[in-house]
């Protein structure tokens, strides 16, 4: 009546591989990692102590876990005890969560990029990617940090300036009480020691010690005792804190107290659905055929200044620069165009006003210098009314990155009586324009490339390249918040995510190829 059921009966076969389908993803992970040379992992194991779990086994387990939306080391350890594909990959070994976490966040910090490059090389050899077209874009991922323990650069500057003022007021009050006495430090009085507008914690510590020595000679001086107590218990610790904050900030405008490497960024989605700022990192990836070719993590909220450091990372991973870089208008700055030109990389990169230039309103706007005529030989501009604007002077503007922009000033001789002046400008007097000729040259080059057949095709393809990868990472695999803290560990997490994504993409392409053959 019933099929025989006995839990105490030993069943054969005992090989777990029999329970795994031939086209299962876990087999793709196993084959990809098995192709790696064992010597790649030597840098992670200096030797000594008890024998370690095999790094290939741990690598397979973590990559496969990331493909299954399992990111917690405890959850991975649990899967090794309960999940057949995990048990097969690990050969029934059961490393605990501490071993798994230590391996992915410490052991592999100097090896993961080598593993990623080796897997990418296999993909290139089997023509999954050609490494010619490089589609770059960025996305913001929330840090593993408290959303409300933030430090703002402007607030630190403001509070530090107020503290400096309090220090000077304090020393002025001491000097007022002891105006006839002379300080023991180099024969200078207190007001001379404290008259500098900017006072470091080191200098304030030295002056506090001088006051404490003075207090030993006059232990009953209430004014001096109160000042020393205020310096030691309040002003000096706060100044040390503000200096530490300034160091952590660097050129950023904010950081999180629970993850100082994270910067507060405005993201497209958040837990309260109101667009508030959250601590996070800007993750940049370069893709081709929706495979990740390179990745990098940045503390800057905007993509503009991330391109150069990302391309340097890509050069390291790929062994050279790609032939063509395709990006959206967020990367279309003069500095980035100059960088790509210097590195001899073809730039299919939009600039901010590229799409606006196609509108009728833009083309009809006679005040736009893009609608005027430039005479390169005479270095003059001619407006729509026929007035000639002559070169007046040039000034240089240096960006935070050190890049120098040359801005040239042009002015017309006379706009009096011009019938088009009201449509041209609202400013009084003659029309003056400030132009970066280099930027206009780069924009003309970009416009020509983007309007070509190849450029247009690549620009359209860009919308389905990195955007689809981000959709896979954040929506399909649910990775919206980092588990680890700090730039180094966060970069490792992105590396594991990228490896898992490429293996998943390879499995998907293989299935399509097999389906096409069967048809």
């Amino acid at each position: 009546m019933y099929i025989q059921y006995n839990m105490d009966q030993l069943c054969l076969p005992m090989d777990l591989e029999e329970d795994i389908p031939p086209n299962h993803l876990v087999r793709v992970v196993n084959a990809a990692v098995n192709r790696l040379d064992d010597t790649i992992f030597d840098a992670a194991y200096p030797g000594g102590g008890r024998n370690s779990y095999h790094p290939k086994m741990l690598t397979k387990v973590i990559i496969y876990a990331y493909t299954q939306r399992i990111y917690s080391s405890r959850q991975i350890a649990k899967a090794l005890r309960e999940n057949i594909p995990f048990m097969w990959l690990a050969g029934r070994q059961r490393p605990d969560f501490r071993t798994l976490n230590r391996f992915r966040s410490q052991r592999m910090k100097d090896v993961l990029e080598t593993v990623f490059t080796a897997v990418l090389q296999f993909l290139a050899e089997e023509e999954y990617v050609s490494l010619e077209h490089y589609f770059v874009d960025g996305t913001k991922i929330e840090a593993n940090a408290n959303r409300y323990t933030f430090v703002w650069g402007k607030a630190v500057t403001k509070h530090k300036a107020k503290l400096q003022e309090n220090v000077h007021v304090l020393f002025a009050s001491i000097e007022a009480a002891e105006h006839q006495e002379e300080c023991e430090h180099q024969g200078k009085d207190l007001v001379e020691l404290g008259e500098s507008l900017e006072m470091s914690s080191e200098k304030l510590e030295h002056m506090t010690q001088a006051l404490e020595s003075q207090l030993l000679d006059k232990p009953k001086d209430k004014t001096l005792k109160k000042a020393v107590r205020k310096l030691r218990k309040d002003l000096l610790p706060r100044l040390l804190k503000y200096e530490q904050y300034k160091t952590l900030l660097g050129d950023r405008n904010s950081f999180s107290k629970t993850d100082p490497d994270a910067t507060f960024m405005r993201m497209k989605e958040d837990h309260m659905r109101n667009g508030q700022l959250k601590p996070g990192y800007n993750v940049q990836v370069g893709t081709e055929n929706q495979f990740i070719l390179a990745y990098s993590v940045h503390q800057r909220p905007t993509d503009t200044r991330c391109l150069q450091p990302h391309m340097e990372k890509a050069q390291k991973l790929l062994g050279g620069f790609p032939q063509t870089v395709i990006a959206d208008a967020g990367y279309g700055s003069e500095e980035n165009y100059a960088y790509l030109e210097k590195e001899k990389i073809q730039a299919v990169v939009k600039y901010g006003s590229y799409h606006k230039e196609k509108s009728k309103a833009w083309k009809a706007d006679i005040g736009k210098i893009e609608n005027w005529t430039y005479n390169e030989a005479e270095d003059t501009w001619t407006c729509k009314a026929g007035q000639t604007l002559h070169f007046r002077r040039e000034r240089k503007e240096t960006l935070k990155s050190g890049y120098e922009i040359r801005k040239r000033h042009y002015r017309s001789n006379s706009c009096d009586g011009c019938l088009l002046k009201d449509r041209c400008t609202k400013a009084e007097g003659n029309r003056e324009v400030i132009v970066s000729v280099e930027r206009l040259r780069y924009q003309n080059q970009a416009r020509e490339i983007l309007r070509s057949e190849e450029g247009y095709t690549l620009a359209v393809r860009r919308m389905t390249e990195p955007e689809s990868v981000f959709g896979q990472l954040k929506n399909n695999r649910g990775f919206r918040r980092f588990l680890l803290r700090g730039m180094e560990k966060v970069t490792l997490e992105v590396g594991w995510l990228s490896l898992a994504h490429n293996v998943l993409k390879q499995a998907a392409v293989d299935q399509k190829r097999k389906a096409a053959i069967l048809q």
Side-chain angles (χ1 to χ4, degrees), residues 175-217:
E175 179 62 22
E178 303 180 349
H179 62 279
Q180 293 181 344
E181 296 187 11
E182 184 176 298
C183 179
E184 296 178 1
H185 183 72
Q186 297 182 353
K188 294 183 179 180
D189 59 19
L190 292 172
V191 69
E192 290 174 336
L193 286 171
E195 64 188 3
S196 173
L197 292 177
E198 182 69 25
M199 187 176 297
S200 66
S201 59
E202 183 179 357
K203 183 176 181 181
L204 187 59
E205 172 66 29
H206 183 72
M207 296 172 66
T208 303
Q209 291 177 1
L211 288 177
E212 289 173 337
S213 299
Q214 194 173 355
L215 187 61
L216 293 175
D217 299 332

Side-chain angles (χ1 to χ4, degrees), residues 75 348 358:
Q75 291 297 321
V348 185
K358 299 178 181 180

Side-chain angles (χ1 to χ4, degrees), residues 27 104 117 134 164 177 205 228 351 383 389 426 494 502:
R27 294 185 182 275
R104 71 172 174 179
T117 303
Y134 191 84
Q164 295 277 347
E205 172 66 29
V228 169
Y351 47 91
C383 71
L389 284 78
K426 295 180 180 179
V494 175
N502 284 349

Side-chain angles (χ1 to χ4, degrees), residues 8 21 65 74 89 110 113 118 134 152 184 222 311 390 490 492 494:
D8 297 325
R74 286 180 169 83
L89 270 183
D110 297 323
E113 288 184 2
Y134 191 84
W152 296 101
E184 296 178 1
K222 293 184 179 180
M311 292 306 299
H390 297 275
V490 163
L492 283 170
V494 175

Side-chain angles (χ1 to χ4, degrees), residues 345-407:
I345 303 171
Q346 184 184 30
V348 185
V349 182
K350 296 177 182 178
Y351 47 91
S353 60
Y354 175 72
H355 289 293
K356 293 180 181 178
E357 290 177 357
K358 299 178 181 180
S359 66
K360 292 182 179 179
W362 181 283
K363 293 177 181 179
D365 190 344
I366 64 173
K368 297 288 186 185
I369 193 172
E370 289 83 357
N371 295 326
W372 295 2
T373 304
Y374 178 64
N375 188 323
E376 188 175 357
E378 298 182 4
D379 192 17
T380 58
W381 288 89
T382 304
C383 71
K384 289 295 183 179
Q387 286 282 347
T388 301
L389 284 78
H390 297 275
F391 172 72
R392 306 281 293 183
R393 61 189 178 91
E394 181 180 278
R395 64 182 176 89
K396 296 179 181 179
E397 179 181 324
T398 304
L399 304 179
K400 289 183 179 180
S401 60
Y403 180 78
E404 195 174 79
I405 298 177
R406 297 168 57 192
K407 293 189 174 182

Side-chain angles (χ1 to χ4, degrees), residues 334 336-338 340-342 345-351 354 357 437-452 455:
E334 178 183 329
N336 287 340
Y337 285 127
L340 294 173
E341 184 180 64
K342 184 187 72 172
I345 303 171
Q346 184 184 30
V348 185
V349 182
K350 296 177 182 178
Y351 47 91
Y354 175 72
E357 290 177 357
V437 178
E438 279 294 285
R439 178 171 178 80
L440 289 178
R441 180 175 70 83
Y442 290 131
Q443 286 184 355
N444 290 334
Q445 289 179 355
R447 189 184 302 111
E448 184 178 348
I449 292 172
L450 288 163
R451 292 180 180 177
S452 67

Side-chain angles (χ1 to χ4, degrees), residues 1-108:
M1 183 175 179
Y2 301 110
I3 296 176
Q4 184 180 0
Y5 171 68
N6 187 349
M7 293 179 63
D8 297 325
Q9 178 67 43
L10 179 64
C11 297
L12 295 175
M14 296 180 63
D15 187 359
L16 293 175
E17 188 172 3
E18 296 293 331
D19 295 325
I20 299 175
N23 297 324
H24 198 281
L25 175 63
V26 74
R27 294 185 182 275
V28 180
V29 174
N30 182 59
V33 178
N34 277 342
R35 294 178 66 178
L36 299 174
D37 192 338
D38 287 353
T39 57
I40 289 177
F41 300 95
D42 289 348
Y45 293 88
R50 59 168 290 182
N51 291 337
S52 302
Y53 287 106
H54 201 289
K56 278 191 175 180
M57 181 272 287
L58 295 172
T59 301
K60 293 175 187 178
V61 167
I62 294 175
I63 291 176
Y64 182 65
Y66 274 56
T67 65
Q68 303 303 300
R69 299 182 58 163
I70 303 175
Y71 308 112
S72 165
S73 57
R74 286 180 169 83
Q75 291 297 321
I76 298 174
K78 184 173 183 287
L80 286 169
R81 299 191 299 269
E82 302 174 354
N83 190 297
I84 288 177
F86 278 95
M87 294 167 68
W88 177 70
L89 270 183
R92 293 184 185 266
Q93 294 180 359
R94 296 180 178 180
D96 62 16
F97 73 92
R98 293 184 182 87
T99 301
L100 292 165
N101 194 43
R102 186 163 53 246
F103 177 78
R104 71 172 174 179
S105 63
Q106 296 179 22
R107 287 276 191 189
M108 292 292 285

